[in-house]
Amino acid sequence: MNRYDHHWQKLIALARQAPADTGAAPYGFATRVAAQGFALPPAPWLSLERFAFRGLLVAAVCSVAAVAFNFTDLSADQSDIYATGTTDTVVELLDIS
């Protein structure tokens, strides 16, 4: 049962508890029923949702900062990498040793 159905069932139960008066409903009855229906305790996953959103924001900031700090390395001239004529890292390491 989803959250909406739970609210609806609670409102129906509160409406059934009202006195069986054939006249008009007492003043403020609809407001009281609606207020009691929406005065449910918060769902337990709401705090987790708040922390998940904060975590997403922190991860996004860290990603942007990593790209910003390494942008000069990424945009620098990479011609010195290919100065040896080989692009194989293993061959270059074996030549050094």
Side-chain angles (χ1 to χ4, degrees), residues 13-14 18 23-24 32-33 37-39 53-56 70 74-75 77 79 85:
L14 289 172
R32 281 195 317 265
V33 170
F38 287 112
F53 184 68
R54 288 180 184 175
L56 176 68
N70 292 317
L74 295 174
S75 63
D77 186 21
S79 62

Side-chain angles (χ1 to χ4, degrees), residues 86 88-97:
T86 61
D88 190 9
T89 307
V90 176
V91 171
E92 290 180 12
L93 288 175
L94 290 176
D95 287 340
I96 292 173
S97 60

Side-chain angles (χ1 to χ4, degrees), residues 19-76:
D21 189 21
T22 58
Y27 179 74
F29 173 73
T31 305
R32 281 195 317 265
V33 170
Q36 287 179 356
F38 287 112
L40 295 174
W45 63 83
L46 290 179
S47 61
L48 181 63
E49 182 177 324
R50 181 179 63 213
F51 290 128
F53 184 68
R54 288 180 184 175
L56 176 68
L57 290 177
V58 169
V61 168
C62 289
S63 298
V64 169
V67 169
F69 286 128
N70 292 317
F71 184 72
T72 56
D73 293 336
L74 295 174
S75 63

